[in-house]
């Protein structure tokens, strides 16, 4: 009887179903409208306030147990977001992420148990060379998640596109405001091309175990 009531509580989410379909068919999903324009504005303002307070640090390569800063590989500045200390806009962000995680675990049995997210700022002239999002000593990252917080009007000449390497095909994705990209962390190599205009995002991972 309890299983019957659990199934009755489930409500299909068309947006999440589209993400699942994309991941199943092509191992990545590009979603415009995951966050509303108003939510994107609030998150951008939260990022910029933190950035103005000089809280960001140069991003490293490797996981937190084995980090090295290598500007020839990546040039972004980051600030890890603590969900337990989140402000109103960050709490809104995590609520949507938690809803997605719950949905994925119920429908796909992915076993997502943890998450980690940070703000990322790529100053003009920076990039992140081709890489994959898992480590030799830590393979818990299952899905990579990027949400772009740039201003409206981002053009090709602004640079900073995300390139996914899909077998012999390269998929270039421009960092339009509010656009979310989700892809399989353990499979898809990717890079961030040279940035010609300061580029803002939230980046993170959904993790197993």
């Amino acid at each position: 009887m309890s299983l019957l009531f659990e199934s009755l509580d489930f409500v299909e989410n068309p947006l999440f179903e589209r993400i699942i379909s994309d991941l199943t068919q092509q191992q990545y999903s590009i979603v415009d409208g995951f966050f509303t324009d108003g939510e994107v504005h609030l998150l951008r303002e939260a990022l910029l306030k933190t950035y103005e307070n000089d809280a960001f640090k140069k991003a490293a390569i490797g996981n937190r147990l084995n980090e090295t800063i290598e500007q020839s590989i990546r040039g972004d500045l980051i600030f890890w977001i603590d969900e337990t200390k989140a402000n109103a806009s960050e709490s809104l962000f995590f609520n949507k992420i938690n809803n997605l995680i719950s949905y994925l675990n119920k429908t796909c049995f992915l076993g997502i148990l943890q998450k980690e997210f940070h703000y990322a700022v790529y100053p003009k002239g920076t990039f992140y060379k081709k890489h994959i999002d898992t480590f030799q000593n830590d393979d818990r990252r299952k899905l990579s998640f990027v949400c772009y917080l740039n201003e409206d009007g981002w053009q090709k000449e602004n640079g900073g596109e995300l390139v996914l390497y899909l077998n012999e095909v390269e998929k270039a994705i421009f960092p339009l405001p509010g656009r979310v990209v989700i892809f399989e962390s353990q499979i898809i190599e990717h890079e961030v091309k040279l940035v010609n205009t300061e580029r803002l995002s939230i980046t993170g991972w959904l993790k197993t175990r």
Side-chain angles (χ1 to χ4, degrees), residues 23 26-30 130-131 133 144 146 148 161-173 181-184 187-193:
L23 291 171
Q26 59 192 21
Q27 300 172 333
Y28 71 91
S29 183
I30 303 170
K130 185 177 179 181
H131 65 284
D133 278 349
S144 300
V146 186
Y148 297 111
E161 61 267 36
L162 172 69
V163 178
L164 305 182
Y165 291 90
L166 311 166
N167 296 321
E168 297 181 359
V169 177
E170 297 179 13
K171 176 69 176 179
I173 304 166
V181 183
I182 305 171
F183 58 92
E184 294 201 23
I187 295 174
I188 296 183
E189 289 186 296
H190 54 285
E191 71 173 311
V192 176
K193 292 291 190 179

PDB file of all heavy atoms in Angstrom, residues 23 26-30 130-131 133 144 146 148 161-173 181-184 187-193:
ATOM      1  N   LEU A  23      20.352  13.415 -21.550  1.00  0.00           N
ATOM      2  CA  LEU A  23      21.493  12.707 -20.967  1.00  0.00           C
ATOM      3  C   LEU A  23      21.541  11.261 -21.441  1.00  0.00           C
ATOM      4  O   LEU A  23      22.623  10.714 -21.702  1.00  0.00           O
ATOM      5  CB  LEU A  23      21.427  12.763 -19.440  1.00  0.00           C
ATOM      6  CG  LEU A  23      21.666  14.140 -18.797  1.00  0.00           C
ATOM      7  CD1 LEU A  23      21.360  14.097 -17.306  1.00  0.00           C
ATOM      8  CD2 LEU A  23      23.106  14.596 -19.025  1.00  0.00           C
ATOM      9  N   GLN A  26      22.456  11.590 -25.466  1.00  0.00           N
ATOM     10  CA  GLN A  26      23.680  12.238 -25.944  1.00  0.00           C
ATOM     11  C   GLN A  26      24.673  12.596 -24.841  1.00  0.00           C
ATOM     12  O   GLN A  26      25.708  13.193 -25.104  1.00  0.00           O
ATOM     13  CB  GLN A  26      23.317  13.495 -26.729  1.00  0.00           C
ATOM     14  CG  GLN A  26      22.532  14.523 -25.917  1.00  0.00           C
ATOM     15  CD  GLN A  26      21.933  15.619 -26.773  1.00  0.00           C
ATOM     16  OE1 GLN A  26      21.744  15.461 -27.983  1.00  0.00           O
ATOM     17  NE2 GLN A  26      21.645  16.769 -26.159  1.00  0.00           N
ATOM     18  N   GLN A  27      24.360  12.257 -23.598  1.00  0.00           N
ATOM     19  CA  GLN A  27      25.239  12.445 -22.442  1.00  0.00           C
ATOM     20  C   GLN A  27      25.421  13.904 -22.034  1.00  0.00           C
ATOM     21  O   GLN A  27      26.255  14.209 -21.186  1.00  0.00           O
ATOM     22  CB  GLN A  27      26.616  11.788 -22.697  1.00  0.00           C
ATOM     23  CG  GLN A  27      26.499  10.302 -22.948  1.00  0.00           C
ATOM     24  CD  GLN A  27      27.799   9.661 -23.380  1.00  0.00           C
ATOM     25  OE1 GLN A  27      28.655  10.314 -23.965  1.00  0.00           O
ATOM     26  NE2 GLN A  27      27.956   8.381 -23.089  1.00  0.00           N
ATOM     27  N   TYR A  28      24.640  14.820 -22.600  1.00  0.00           N
ATOM     28  CA  TYR A  28      24.641  16.210 -22.153  1.00  0.00           C
ATOM     29  C   TYR A  28      23.269  16.823 -22.430  1.00  0.00           C
ATOM     30  O   TYR A  28      22.484  16.321 -23.243  1.00  0.00           O
ATOM     31  CB  TYR A  28      25.730  17.024 -22.858  1.00  0.00           C
ATOM     32  CG  TYR A  28      25.464  17.304 -24.323  1.00  0.00           C
ATOM     33  CD1 TYR A  28      24.799  18.464 -24.727  1.00  0.00           C
ATOM     34  CD2 TYR A  28      25.863  16.399 -25.308  1.00  0.00           C
ATOM     35  CE1 TYR A  28      24.539  18.713 -26.068  1.00  0.00           C
ATOM     36  CE2 TYR A  28      25.623  16.641 -26.653  1.00  0.00           C
ATOM     37  CZ  TYR A  28      24.961  17.801 -27.019  1.00  0.00           C
ATOM     38  OH  TYR A  28      24.697  18.041 -28.353  1.00  0.00           O
ATOM     39  N   SER A  29      22.985  17.928 -21.737  1.00  0.00           N
ATOM     40  CA  SER A  29      21.727  18.643 -21.940  1.00  0.00           C
ATOM     41  C   SER A  29      21.987  20.141 -21.841  1.00  0.00           C
ATOM     42  O   SER A  29      22.716  20.591 -20.949  1.00  0.00           O
ATOM     43  CB  SER A  29      20.687  18.223 -20.894  1.00  0.00           C
ATOM     44  OG  SER A  29      19.441  18.865 -21.127  1.00  0.00           O
ATOM     45  N   ILE A  30      21.406  20.906 -22.753  1.00  0.00           N
ATOM     46  CA  ILE A  30      21.482  22.365 -22.739  1.00  0.00           C
ATOM     47  C   ILE A  30      20.083  22.883 -22.476  1.00  0.00           C
ATOM     48  O   ILE A  30      19.157  22.592 -23.230  1.00  0.00           O
ATOM     49  CB  ILE A  30      22.006  22.907 -24.080  1.00  0.00           C
ATOM     50  CG1 ILE A  30      23.374  22.295 -24.410  1.00  0.00           C
ATOM     51  CG2 ILE A  30      22.098  24.435 -24.054  1.00  0.00           C
ATOM     52  CD1 ILE A  30      23.841  22.584 -25.831  1.00  0.00           C
ATOM     53  N   LYS A 130      41.404  21.810 -22.248  1.00  0.00           N
ATOM     54  CA  LYS A 130      40.652  20.559 -22.339  1.00  0.00           C
ATOM     55  C   LYS A 130      40.942  19.653 -21.143  1.00  0.00           C
ATOM     56  O   LYS A 130      42.099  19.404 -20.798  1.00  0.00           O
ATOM     57  CB  LYS A 130      41.020  19.859 -23.654  1.00  0.00           C
ATOM     58  CG  LYS A 130      40.230  18.609 -23.964  1.00  0.00           C
ATOM     59  CD  LYS A 130      40.662  18.064 -25.330  1.00  0.00           C
ATOM     60  CE  LYS A 130      39.938  16.800 -25.706  1.00  0.00           C
ATOM     61  NZ  LYS A 130      40.396  16.276 -27.021  1.00  0.00           N
ATOM     62  N   HIS A 131      39.864  19.154 -20.518  1.00  0.00           N
ATOM     63  CA  HIS A 131      40.017  18.317 -19.330  1.00  0.00           C
ATOM     64  C   HIS A 131      38.749  17.502 -19.108  1.00  0.00           C
ATOM     65  O   HIS A 131      37.753  17.662 -19.811  1.00  0.00           O
ATOM     66  CB  HIS A 131      40.290  19.190 -18.098  1.00  0.00           C
ATOM     67  CG  HIS A 131      39.146  20.089 -17.746  1.00  0.00           C
ATOM     68  ND1 HIS A 131      38.851  21.236 -18.457  1.00  0.00           N
ATOM     69  CD2 HIS A 131      38.204  20.013 -16.761  1.00  0.00           C
ATOM     70  CE1 HIS A 131      37.801  21.831 -17.931  1.00  0.00           C
ATOM     71  NE2 HIS A 131      37.373  21.100 -16.912  1.00  0.00           N
ATOM     72  N   ASP A 133      36.215  16.019 -15.694  1.00  0.00           N
ATOM     73  CA  ASP A 133      35.892  16.492 -14.349  1.00  0.00           C
ATOM     74  C   ASP A 133      36.027  15.446 -13.248  1.00  0.00           C
ATOM     75  O   ASP A 133      35.470  15.637 -12.159  1.00  0.00           O
ATOM     76  CB  ASP A 133      34.466  17.054 -14.324  1.00  0.00           C
ATOM     77  CG  ASP A 133      34.404  18.487 -14.830  1.00  0.00           C
ATOM     78  OD1 ASP A 133      35.460  19.114 -14.998  1.00  0.00           O
ATOM     79  OD2 ASP A 133      33.279  18.971 -15.065  1.00  0.00           O
ATOM     80  N   SER A 144      28.161  17.031 -14.244  1.00  0.00           N
ATOM     81  CA  SER A 144      28.663  18.399 -14.160  1.00  0.00           C
ATOM     82  C   SER A 144      27.540  19.363 -14.515  1.00  0.00           C
ATOM     83  O   SER A 144      26.722  19.083 -15.394  1.00  0.00           O
ATOM     84  CB  SER A 144      29.837  18.589 -15.126  1.00  0.00           C
ATOM     85  OG  SER A 144      30.897  17.708 -14.817  1.00  0.00           O
ATOM     86  N   VAL A 146      26.615  23.609 -15.086  1.00  0.00           N
ATOM     87  CA  VAL A 146      27.052  24.997 -15.241  1.00  0.00           C
ATOM     88  C   VAL A 146      25.834  25.871 -15.496  1.00  0.00           C
ATOM     89  O   VAL A 146      24.994  25.549 -16.355  1.00  0.00           O
ATOM     90  CB  VAL A 146      28.041  25.172 -16.414  1.00  0.00           C
ATOM     91  CG1 VAL A 146      28.585  26.601 -16.445  1.00  0.00           C
ATOM     92  CG2 VAL A 146      29.185  24.171 -16.332  1.00  0.00           C
ATOM     93  N   TYR A 148      25.059  29.904 -16.413  1.00  0.00           N
ATOM     94  CA  TYR A 148      25.717  31.155 -16.799  1.00  0.00           C
ATOM     95  C   TYR A 148      24.954  32.363 -16.274  1.00  0.00           C
ATOM     96  O   TYR A 148      23.720  32.432 -16.361  1.00  0.00           O
ATOM     97  CB  TYR A 148      25.851  31.227 -18.318  1.00  0.00           C
ATOM     98  CG  TYR A 148      26.720  30.117 -18.862  1.00  0.00           C
ATOM     99  CD1 TYR A 148      26.183  29.094 -19.634  1.00  0.00           C
ATOM    100  CD2 TYR A 148      28.078  30.064 -18.561  1.00  0.00           C
ATOM    101  CE1 TYR A 148      26.973  28.068 -20.107  1.00  0.00           C
ATOM    102  CE2 TYR A 148      28.875  29.030 -19.019  1.00  0.00           C
ATOM    103  CZ  TYR A 148      28.324  28.039 -19.794  1.00  0.00           C
ATOM    104  OH  TYR A 148      29.113  27.013 -20.250  1.00  0.00           O
ATOM    105  N   GLU A 161      33.195  30.396 -24.874  1.00  0.00           N
ATOM    106  CA  GLU A 161      32.278  29.286 -25.106  1.00  0.00           C
ATOM    107  C   GLU A 161      32.798  27.998 -24.460  1.00  0.00           C
ATOM    108  O   GLU A 161      34.007  27.779 -24.340  1.00  0.00           O
ATOM    109  CB  GLU A 161      32.019  29.064 -26.593  1.00  0.00           C
ATOM    110  CG  GLU A 161      33.233  28.711 -27.413  1.00  0.00           C
ATOM    111  CD  GLU A 161      33.914  29.917 -28.036  1.00  0.00           C
ATOM    112  OE1 GLU A 161      33.945  30.990 -27.402  1.00  0.00           O
ATOM    113  OE2 GLU A 161      34.457  29.765 -29.151  1.00  0.00           O
ATOM    114  N   LEU A 162      31.868  27.170 -24.021  1.00  0.00           N
ATOM    115  CA  LEU A 162      32.182  25.838 -23.526  1.00  0.00           C
ATOM    116  C   LEU A 162      32.180  24.888 -24.715  1.00  0.00           C
ATOM    117  O   LEU A 162      31.218  24.858 -25.480  1.00  0.00           O
ATOM    118  CB  LEU A 162      31.134  25.406 -22.503  1.00  0.00           C
ATOM    119  CG  LEU A 162      31.201  23.952 -22.014  1.00  0.00           C
ATOM    120  CD1 LEU A 162      32.439  23.734 -21.164  1.00  0.00           C
ATOM    121  CD2 LEU A 162      29.936  23.600 -21.222  1.00  0.00           C
ATOM    122  N   VAL A 163      33.239  24.114 -24.864  1.00  0.00           N
ATOM    123  CA  VAL A 163      33.314  23.144 -25.953  1.00  0.00           C
ATOM    124  C   VAL A 163      33.308  21.741 -25.354  1.00  0.00           C
ATOM    125  O   VAL A 163      34.156  21.400 -24.530  1.00  0.00           O
ATOM    126  CB  VAL A 163      34.573  23.343 -26.816  1.00  0.00           C
ATOM    127  CG1 VAL A 163      34.634  22.272 -27.919  1.00  0.00           C
ATOM    128  CG2 VAL A 163      34.589  24.736 -27.437  1.00  0.00           C
ATOM    129  N   LEU A 164      32.313  20.943 -25.748  1.00  0.00           N
ATOM    130  CA  LEU A 164      32.240  19.542 -25.353  1.00  0.00           C
ATOM    131  C   LEU A 164      32.819  18.696 -26.477  1.00  0.00           C
ATOM    132  O   LEU A 164      32.465  18.887 -27.647  1.00  0.00           O
ATOM    133  CB  LEU A 164      30.789  19.128 -25.102  1.00  0.00           C
ATOM    134  CG  LEU A 164      29.978  19.956 -24.097  1.00  0.00           C
ATOM    135  CD1 LEU A 164      28.576  19.363 -23.953  1.00  0.00           C
ATOM    136  CD2 LEU A 164      30.670  20.037 -22.750  1.00  0.00           C
ATOM    137  N   TYR A 165      33.697  17.753 -26.131  1.00  0.00           N
ATOM    138  CA  TYR A 165      34.306  16.870 -27.115  1.00  0.00           C
ATOM    139  C   TYR A 165      33.552  15.541 -27.102  1.00  0.00           C
ATOM    140  O   TYR A 165      33.651  14.757 -26.164  1.00  0.00           O
ATOM    141  CB  TYR A 165      35.790  16.674 -26.812  1.00  0.00           C
ATOM    142  CG  TYR A 165      36.577  17.948 -27.062  1.00  0.00           C
ATOM    143  CD1 TYR A 165      36.768  18.878 -26.045  1.00  0.00           C
ATOM    144  CD2 TYR A 165      37.094  18.228 -28.326  1.00  0.00           C
ATOM    145  CE1 TYR A 165      37.465  20.056 -26.281  1.00  0.00           C
ATOM    146  CE2 TYR A 165      37.794  19.403 -28.569  1.00  0.00           C
ATOM    147  CZ  TYR A 165      37.969  20.309 -27.553  1.00  0.00           C
ATOM    148  OH  TYR A 165      38.661  21.490 -27.790  1.00  0.00           O
ATOM    149  N   LEU A 166      32.759  15.338 -28.143  1.00  0.00           N
ATOM    150  CA  LEU A 166      31.853  14.196 -28.237  1.00  0.00           C
ATOM    151  C   LEU A 166      32.343  13.282 -29.346  1.00  0.00           C
ATOM    152  O   LEU A 166      32.011  13.473 -30.509  1.00  0.00           O
ATOM    153  CB  LEU A 166      30.434  14.684 -28.533  1.00  0.00           C
ATOM    154  CG  LEU A 166      29.929  15.822 -27.624  1.00  0.00           C
ATOM    155  CD1 LEU A 166      28.673  16.451 -28.199  1.00  0.00           C
ATOM    156  CD2 LEU A 166      29.694  15.318 -26.210  1.00  0.00           C
ATOM    157  N   ASN A 167      33.147  12.288 -28.990  1.00  0.00           N
ATOM    158  CA  ASN A 167      33.791  11.428 -29.979  1.00  0.00           C
ATOM    159  C   ASN A 167      34.571  12.297 -30.957  1.00  0.00           C
ATOM    160  O   ASN A 167      35.523  12.950 -30.554  1.00  0.00           O
ATOM    161  CB  ASN A 167      32.745  10.549 -30.674  1.00  0.00           C
ATOM    162  CG  ASN A 167      32.075   9.587 -29.694  1.00  0.00           C
ATOM    163  OD1 ASN A 167      32.728   9.043 -28.813  1.00  0.00           O
ATOM    164  ND2 ASN A 167      30.778   9.398 -29.843  1.00  0.00           N
ATOM    165  N   GLU A 168      34.169  12.367 -32.194  1.00  0.00           N
ATOM    166  CA  GLU A 168      34.909  13.177 -33.163  1.00  0.00           C
ATOM    167  C   GLU A 168      34.207  14.505 -33.453  1.00  0.00           C
ATOM    168  O   GLU A 168      34.577  15.226 -34.379  1.00  0.00           O
ATOM    169  CB  GLU A 168      35.089  12.391 -34.470  1.00  0.00           C
ATOM    170  CG  GLU A 168      35.913  11.116 -34.295  1.00  0.00           C
ATOM    171  CD  GLU A 168      36.091  10.366 -35.600  1.00  0.00           C
ATOM    172  OE1 GLU A 168      35.563  10.822 -36.626  1.00  0.00           O
ATOM    173  OE2 GLU A 168      36.770   9.316 -35.573  1.00  0.00           O
ATOM    174  N   VAL A 169      33.211  14.834 -32.649  1.00  0.00           N
ATOM    175  CA  VAL A 169      32.432  16.060 -32.848  1.00  0.00           C
ATOM    176  C   VAL A 169      32.708  17.029 -31.703  1.00  0.00           C
ATOM    177  O   VAL A 169      32.810  16.622 -30.544  1.00  0.00           O
ATOM    178  CB  VAL A 169      30.916  15.745 -32.912  1.00  0.00           C
ATOM    179  CG1 VAL A 169      30.103  17.019 -33.052  1.00  0.00           C
ATOM    180  CG2 VAL A 169      30.629  14.784 -34.062  1.00  0.00           C
ATOM    181  N   GLU A 170      32.857  18.310 -32.033  1.00  0.00           N
ATOM    182  CA  GLU A 170      33.014  19.347 -31.027  1.00  0.00           C
ATOM    183  C   GLU A 170      31.732  20.175 -30.955  1.00  0.00           C
ATOM    184  O   GLU A 170      31.281  20.701 -31.966  1.00  0.00           O
ATOM    185  CB  GLU A 170      34.207  20.253 -31.367  1.00  0.00           C
ATOM    186  CG  GLU A 170      35.531  19.519 -31.375  1.00  0.00           C
ATOM    187  CD  GLU A 170      36.696  20.429 -31.727  1.00  0.00           C
ATOM    188  OE1 GLU A 170      36.503  21.677 -31.713  1.00  0.00           O
ATOM    189  OE2 GLU A 170      37.793  19.917 -32.009  1.00  0.00           O
ATOM    190  N   LYS A 171      31.167  20.275 -29.769  1.00  0.00           N
ATOM    191  CA  LYS A 171      29.928  21.023 -29.559  1.00  0.00           C
ATOM    192  C   LYS A 171      30.255  22.311 -28.809  1.00  0.00           C
ATOM    193  O   LYS A 171      30.630  22.281 -27.627  1.00  0.00           O
ATOM    194  CB  LYS A 171      28.930  20.186 -28.758  1.00  0.00           C
ATOM    195  CG  LYS A 171      27.634  20.899 -28.398  1.00  0.00           C
ATOM    196  CD  LYS A 171      26.771  21.149 -29.605  1.00  0.00           C
ATOM    197  CE  LYS A 171      25.446  21.772 -29.217  1.00  0.00           C
ATOM    198  NZ  LYS A 171      24.588  22.055 -30.399  1.00  0.00           N
ATOM    199  N   ALA A 172      30.149  23.461 -29.475  1.00  0.00           N
ATOM    200  CA  ALA A 172      30.420  24.754 -28.855  1.00  0.00           C
ATOM    201  C   ALA A 172      29.131  25.325 -28.279  1.00  0.00           C
ATOM    202  O   ALA A 172      28.112  25.404 -28.967  1.00  0.00           O
ATOM    203  CB  ALA A 172      31.025  25.714 -29.868  1.00  0.00           C
ATOM    204  N   ILE A 173      29.177  25.737 -27.024  1.00  0.00           N
ATOM    205  CA  ILE A 173      28.001  26.246 -26.325  1.00  0.00           C
ATOM    206  C   ILE A 173      28.331  27.628 -25.776  1.00  0.00           C
ATOM    207  O   ILE A 173      29.268  27.786 -24.980  1.00  0.00           O
ATOM    208  CB  ILE A 173      27.605  25.305 -25.171  1.00  0.00           C
ATOM    209  CG1 ILE A 173      27.379  23.882 -25.686  1.00  0.00           C
ATOM    210  CG2 ILE A 173      26.365  25.819 -24.449  1.00  0.00           C
ATOM    211  CD1 ILE A 173      27.308  22.840 -24.605  1.00  0.00           C
ATOM    212  N   VAL A 181      23.965  24.031 -18.552  1.00  0.00           N
ATOM    213  CA  VAL A 181      24.518  22.881 -19.268  1.00  0.00           C
ATOM    214  C   VAL A 181      24.813  21.788 -18.244  1.00  0.00           C
ATOM    215  O   VAL A 181      25.447  22.048 -17.216  1.00  0.00           O
ATOM    216  CB  VAL A 181      25.809  23.241 -20.031  1.00  0.00           C
ATOM    217  CG1 VAL A 181      26.306  22.033 -20.826  1.00  0.00           C
ATOM    218  CG2 VAL A 181      25.583  24.436 -20.944  1.00  0.00           C
ATOM    219  N   ILE A 182      24.322  20.591 -18.505  1.00  0.00           N
ATOM    220  CA  ILE A 182      24.543  19.436 -17.637  1.00  0.00           C
ATOM    221  C   ILE A 182      25.144  18.322 -18.491  1.00  0.00           C
ATOM    222  O   ILE A 182      24.646  18.049 -19.584  1.00  0.00           O
ATOM    223  CB  ILE A 182      23.224  18.955 -17.006  1.00  0.00           C
ATOM    224  CG1 ILE A 182      22.531  20.100 -16.262  1.00  0.00           C
ATOM    225  CG2 ILE A 182      23.465  17.773 -16.062  1.00  0.00           C
ATOM    226  CD1 ILE A 182      21.121  19.764 -15.797  1.00  0.00           C
ATOM    227  N   PHE A 183      26.214  17.697 -18.014  1.00  0.00           N
ATOM    228  CA  PHE A 183      26.819  16.617 -18.795  1.00  0.00           C
ATOM    229  C   PHE A 183      27.498  15.612 -17.881  1.00  0.00           C
ATOM    230  O   PHE A 183      27.743  15.884 -16.698  1.00  0.00           O
ATOM    231  CB  PHE A 183      27.804  17.171 -19.836  1.00  0.00           C
ATOM    232  CG  PHE A 183      28.935  17.993 -19.276  1.00  0.00           C
ATOM    233  CD1 PHE A 183      30.153  17.409 -18.935  1.00  0.00           C
ATOM    234  CD2 PHE A 183      28.805  19.368 -19.108  1.00  0.00           C
ATOM    235  CE1 PHE A 183      31.205  18.165 -18.438  1.00  0.00           C
ATOM    236  CE2 PHE A 183      29.845  20.141 -18.611  1.00  0.00           C
ATOM    237  CZ  PHE A 183      31.048  19.540 -18.270  1.00  0.00           C
ATOM    238  N   GLU A 184      27.792  14.452 -18.418  1.00  0.00           N
ATOM    239  CA  GLU A 184      28.361  13.358 -17.640  1.00  0.00           C
ATOM    240  C   GLU A 184      29.831  13.636 -17.330  1.00  0.00           C
ATOM    241  O   GLU A 184      30.677  13.724 -18.230  1.00  0.00           O
ATOM    242  CB  GLU A 184      28.193  12.032 -18.374  1.00  0.00           C
ATOM    243  CG  GLU A 184      26.733  11.618 -18.516  1.00  0.00           C
ATOM    244  CD  GLU A 184      26.569  10.134 -18.765  1.00  0.00           C
ATOM    245  OE1 GLU A 184      27.478   9.358 -18.419  1.00  0.00           O
ATOM    246  OE2 GLU A 184      25.529   9.742 -19.317  1.00  0.00           O
ATOM    247  N   ILE A 187      32.785  11.153 -18.489  1.00  0.00           N
ATOM    248  CA  ILE A 187      32.865  10.752 -19.890  1.00  0.00           C
ATOM    249  C   ILE A 187      33.296  11.891 -20.811  1.00  0.00           C
ATOM    250  O   ILE A 187      34.142  11.692 -21.699  1.00  0.00           O
ATOM    251  CB  ILE A 187      31.498  10.201 -20.362  1.00  0.00           C
ATOM    252  CG1 ILE A 187      31.158   8.914 -19.593  1.00  0.00           C
ATOM    253  CG2 ILE A 187      31.488   9.945 -21.871  1.00  0.00           C
ATOM    254  CD1 ILE A 187      29.767   8.379 -19.878  1.00  0.00           C
ATOM    255  N   ILE A 188      32.735  13.074 -20.625  1.00  0.00           N
ATOM    256  CA  ILE A 188      32.889  14.141 -21.623  1.00  0.00           C
ATOM    257  C   ILE A 188      34.049  15.069 -21.293  1.00  0.00           C
ATOM    258  O   ILE A 188      34.047  15.764 -20.266  1.00  0.00           O
ATOM    259  CB  ILE A 188      31.585  14.948 -21.758  1.00  0.00           C
ATOM    260  CG1 ILE A 188      30.472  14.047 -22.296  1.00  0.00           C
ATOM    261  CG2 ILE A 188      31.787  16.152 -22.676  1.00  0.00           C
ATOM    262  CD1 ILE A 188      29.159  14.739 -22.542  1.00  0.00           C
ATOM    263  N   GLU A 189      35.038  15.100 -22.177  1.00  0.00           N
ATOM    264  CA  GLU A 189      36.103  16.090 -22.088  1.00  0.00           C
ATOM    265  C   GLU A 189      35.558  17.431 -22.580  1.00  0.00           C
ATOM    266  O   GLU A 189      34.706  17.478 -23.464  1.00  0.00           O
ATOM    267  CB  GLU A 189      37.301  15.673 -22.935  1.00  0.00           C
ATOM    268  CG  GLU A 189      38.077  14.496 -22.375  1.00  0.00           C
ATOM    269  CD  GLU A 189      39.335  14.216 -23.171  1.00  0.00           C
ATOM    270  OE1 GLU A 189      39.194  13.870 -24.362  1.00  0.00           O
ATOM    271  OE2 GLU A 189      40.439  14.352 -22.622  1.00  0.00           O
ATOM    272  N   HIS A 190      36.085  18.519 -22.021  1.00  0.00           N
ATOM    273  CA  HIS A 190      35.567  19.834 -22.372  1.00  0.00           C
ATOM    274  C   HIS A 190      36.610  20.905 -22.078  1.00  0.00           C
ATOM    275  O   HIS A 190      37.599  20.651 -21.387  1.00  0.00           O
ATOM    276  CB  HIS A 190      34.273  20.123 -21.589  1.00  0.00           C
ATOM    277  CG  HIS A 190      34.420  19.960 -20.105  1.00  0.00           C
ATOM    278  ND1 HIS A 190      34.490  18.733 -19.499  1.00  0.00           N
ATOM    279  CD2 HIS A 190      34.529  20.876 -19.111  1.00  0.00           C
ATOM    280  CE1 HIS A 190      34.632  18.883 -18.197  1.00  0.00           C
ATOM    281  NE2 HIS A 190      34.668  20.185 -17.935  1.00  0.00           N
ATOM    282  N   GLU A 191      36.371  22.091 -22.600  1.00  0.00           N
ATOM    283  CA  GLU A 191      37.242  23.216 -22.299  1.00  0.00           C
ATOM    284  C   GLU A 191      36.453  24.516 -22.375  1.00  0.00           C
ATOM    285  O   GLU A 191      35.363  24.559 -22.947  1.00  0.00           O
ATOM    286  CB  GLU A 191      38.434  23.269 -23.258  1.00  0.00           C
ATOM    287  CG  GLU A 191      38.110  23.669 -24.675  1.00  0.00           C
ATOM    288  CD  GLU A 191      39.354  23.863 -25.535  1.00  0.00           C
ATOM    289  OE1 GLU A 191      40.285  24.562 -25.087  1.00  0.00           O
ATOM    290  OE2 GLU A 191      39.373  23.315 -26.655  1.00  0.00           O
ATOM    291  N   VAL A 192      37.016  25.567 -21.787  1.00  0.00           N
ATOM    292  CA  VAL A 192      36.476  26.914 -21.911  1.00  0.00           C
ATOM    293  C   VAL A 192      37.436  27.705 -22.787  1.00  0.00           C
ATOM    294  O   VAL A 192      38.612  27.841 -22.456  1.00  0.00           O
ATOM    295  CB  VAL A 192      36.319  27.595 -20.538  1.00  0.00           C
ATOM    296  CG1 VAL A 192      35.854  29.048 -20.710  1.00  0.00           C
ATOM    297  CG2 VAL A 192      35.344  26.820 -19.660  1.00  0.00           C
ATOM    298  N   LYS A 193      36.926  28.201 -23.896  1.00  0.00           N
ATOM    299  CA  LYS A 193      37.750  28.952 -24.833  1.00  0.00           C
ATOM    300  C   LYS A 193      38.114  30.326 -24.262  1.00  0.00           C
ATOM    301  O   LYS A 193      37.524  30.798 -23.288  1.00  0.00           O
ATOM    302  CB  LYS A 193      37.016  29.111 -26.165  1.00  0.00           C
ATOM    303  CG  LYS A 193      36.835  27.805 -26.942  1.00  0.00           C
ATOM    304  CD  LYS A 193      38.169  27.294 -27.448  1.00  0.00           C
ATOM    305  CE  LYS A 193      37.990  26.131 -28.426  1.00  0.00           C
ATOM    306  NZ  LYS A 193      39.286  25.634 -28.958  1.00  0.00           N
TER     307      LYS A 193
END
